[in-house]
Amino acid sequence: LHPGILGSEVDFVQKEVFIVFKQEELSLKKLVTLLSKIGYEPQLNKGTIGDGNQVKKNYTSQNIKYLGVAGASFVAIMMLSLPEYISGGQLFSKSLSVFFRWANLVLCLPAVLYSSYVFFQSAWAGLKHKVLNTDAPVALAIGITFTRSIYDVSVLGRSGYFDSLAGLIFFLLTGK
C-alpha cells in the first residue's frame, strides 16, 4: 500500500493489526488516512494514542442499528416464508403466494439498501485504491443474490432467496 510500511501482523480473533512503518516516510496520520481510504478505519487503543472509547462507542452504536434493521428484515421474511417451507408451496392459493413473494422483496429492501451499506462502502473504498479487501466478495454476493431473487420473483414466479440474503447480511454483521 505504501513503501513506508515495513510489515504487518493481523490478529483476527482480537480484530487487531500491528503495523511496522518508517516514521520518516509515513506519519501516523497518513497511515490512519490510508487505512480509512481502503475501508479499514482504525480505532487506536487507549494505550497507544488518546482515548479511543468515544470512537468505539459510536462505531458499535452504528453497527447495532445496521444489525437491528437486518435482523428485523430477516425475521419478517422468515415468518412469511415459513408456510411455504412447511407445505412445499401448496398451502396458499396462487395469488396469496405471489403476494408473499413480493412482500419478501419489499421486506428485504431495508437489509440490502441500509444494512449492507457497510460492505459496499468498504469494498468500494478498497477498489478505489486497487485493493481487494474481504468486503468486496461479500458485496458482490449480496448484489448477485438480490438481483437473482428479483429475477426469480418477477420473471420466473419463484420465491427467490430473500430469506437467505437477509440472514446472510444479519449474520455477517453479527460477526463484524
Side-chain angles (χ1 to χ4, degrees):
L1 295 177
H2 192 279
I5 297 175
L6 301 174
S8 63
E9 183 178 325
V10 178
D11 183 349
F12 290 105
V13 176
Q14 297 295 323
K15 297 182 181 179
E16 294 178 343
V17 63
F18 301 95
I19 300 174
V20 179
F21 62 98
K22 295 180 187 175
Q23 289 182 334
E24 309 84 45
E25 294 182 31
L26 181 66
S27 69
L28 181 60
K29 183 178 180 179
K30 288 182 182 178
L31 178 62
V32 168
T33 303
L34 177 65
L35 291 172
S36 296
K37 284 181 181 178
I38 62 169
Y40 295 105
E41 184 174 338
Q43 296 176 9
L44 302 175
N45 292 334
K46 187 175 183 179
T48 55
I49 294 180
D51 184 7
N53 290 334
Q54 185 62 37
V55 174
K56 190 171 186 176
K57 181 180 174 188
N58 290 341
Y59 179 78
T60 303
S61 173
Q62 187 62 38
N63 275 355
I64 289 173
K65 290 176 189 174
Y66 291 135
L67 184 64
V69 170
S73 290
F74 178 49
V75 169
I77 292 168
M78 288 305 293
M79 289 183 70
L80 286 181
S81 300
L82 188 62
E84 187 172 342
Y85 287 141
I86 292 172
S87 68
Q90 304 302 320
L91 185 63
F92 297 118
S93 67
K94 178 83 169 147
S95 61
L96 198 52
S97 293
V98 170
F99 171 76
F100 280 174
R101 290 176 186 147
W102 285 98
N104 283 343
L105 187 152
V106 171
L107 289 170
C108 193
L109 286 174
V112 172
L113 298 178
Y114 178 73
S115 296
S116 67
Y117 172 75
V118 288
F119 300 113
F120 286 98
Q121 180 185 33
S122 174
W124 182 249
L127 291 174
K128 282 195 312 191
H129 290 86
K130 299 179 181 163
V131 174
L132 191 61
N133 61 26
T134 57
D135 289 332
V138 171
L140 183 63
I142 290 169
I144 289 171
T145 305
F146 188 64
T147 304
R148 171 59 196 248
S149 296
I150 291 173
Y151 177 76
D152 283 352
V153 169
S154 61
V155 176
L156 302 178
R158 296 191 300 202
S159 297
Y161 303 97
F162 298 116
D163 50 352
S164 301
L165 179 59
L168 173 74
I169 294 167
F170 174 72
F171 290 118
L172 286 172
L173 286 172
T174 302
K176 201 167 180 78

